Amino acid sequence: MEQELYPNNEGLTFRQMALEDIPDVMVIEHEAFTLPWTEEAFRNELTQNHFARYMIMQYLGQPVGYAGMWTVIDEAHVTNIAVLQAYRGRKWGERLLRELMKTASQLGMLRMTLEVRVSNDVAQNLYRKMGFKPAGLRKGYYSDNHEDAMIMWADLPERGSAYGSEEGSEAY
C-alpha cells in the first residue's frame, strides 16, 4: 500500500540545512526526541562546528525531516536523524539515512557510526537494514532515564559507488 500511495517518492528532495531552517527543525526535534537539542545547539553546529554536516528532507518544498553527522578524518558520526510523525511509515527515514550515507561517502568517509537507544527497535531495524552492526554499549548514555545506547557501525561504499544517484538530491 505504501508503494501505491507514494510512488517514486515524488516531491521528496534533499538539501543542505541553513540557519533559516532551524525553526522547522525544532518542530521535528521536539516531536521526535525526549531530549531535544536547543536552537542554540543547531546554530552552533551550522556556524561553529567545521566537522558538522546537516541536511533537510523536504516534501513538496516543506521540511519533513533532517539528519546530521560529524565527519572526522574518514569516519562519520550520525548526530541525529528524524522525520515528522505525520510522514513516518513511508520509508522516508530510510531515504534520509541513505542520503546521509551517500553524502558521507562523497566526502570521503569510509565508515559511519551512531548510538541508538537499546529500546528503539524500529530505529535498530532500519540501521541493520542499512548495513549497521552492533559494536557495544554505552551504559547510562541517555540522561533522561539513564538508558543504555547501542553503538552501531557500518562500512560506507567508496566514493561514487553504491547508493546510486537518487533524484532530488544535492551535493554538499
Side-chain angles (χ1 to χ4, degrees):
M1 186 153 141
E2 288 171 9
Q3 301 270 336
E4 296 169 13
L5 288 174
Y6 313 107
N8 304 322
N9 300 321
E10 198 170 316
L12 197 62
T13 57
F14 299 87
R15 63 173 174 76
Q16 186 172 356
M17 185 188 291
L19 288 172
E20 299 78 42
D21 293 312
I22 292 176
D24 290 319
V25 167
M26 293 309 300
V27 171
I28 300 166
E29 181 76 4
H30 280 271
E31 187 183 278
F33 299 110
T34 57
L35 291 170
W37 284 18
T38 64
E39 284 188 36
E40 184 177 351
F42 282 104
R43 190 172 307 284
N44 286 339
E45 286 291 282
L46 296 177
T47 61
Q48 305 295 319
N49 185 350
H50 65 277
F51 298 112
R53 303 283 185 276
Y54 285 83
M55 67 174 56
I56 293 288
M57 179 174 66
Q58 297 180 136
Y59 178 59
L60 301 176
Q62 294 299 309
V64 296
Y66 79 94
M69 65 182 162
W70 296 333
T71 55
V72 182
I73 306 175
D74 61 358
E75 294 178 350
H77 183 118
V78 177
T79 55
N80 21 26
I81 183 167
V83 176
L84 278 173
Q85 180 119 17
Y87 295 92
R88 295 180 192 160
R90 303 178 185 204
K91 302 205 180 299
W92 288 0
E94 180 178 334
R95 276 294 313 277
L96 182 55
L97 181 56
R98 187 177 307 280
E99 195 69 23
L100 192 68
M101 293 173 82
K102 184 174 95 174
T103 299
S105 180
Q106 289 171 345
L107 292 169
M109 303 297 108
L110 302 177
R111 300 178 73 207
M112 182 174 267
T113 187
L114 53 81
E115 290 92 6
V116 59
R117 287 180 185 267
V118 294
S119 65
N120 192 343
D121 294 329
V122 172
Q124 288 177 39
N125 289 337
L126 168 61
Y127 301 145
R128 282 186 176 96
K129 180 179 180 180
M130 298 298 292
F132 285 83
K133 294 179 177 59
L137 290 178
R138 294 196 196 284
K139 295 286 187 185
Y141 183 77
Y142 294 98
S143 61
D144 62 337
N145 63 359
H146 303 291
E147 184 174 358
D148 296 345
M150 179 186 299
I151 304 163
M152 300 182 85
W153 283 91
D155 291 325
L156 295 171
E158 289 185 34
R159 197 181 306 193
S161 68
Y163 302 122
S165 57
E166 301 275 354
E167 292 287 324
S169 62
E170 274 182 27
Y172 293 70

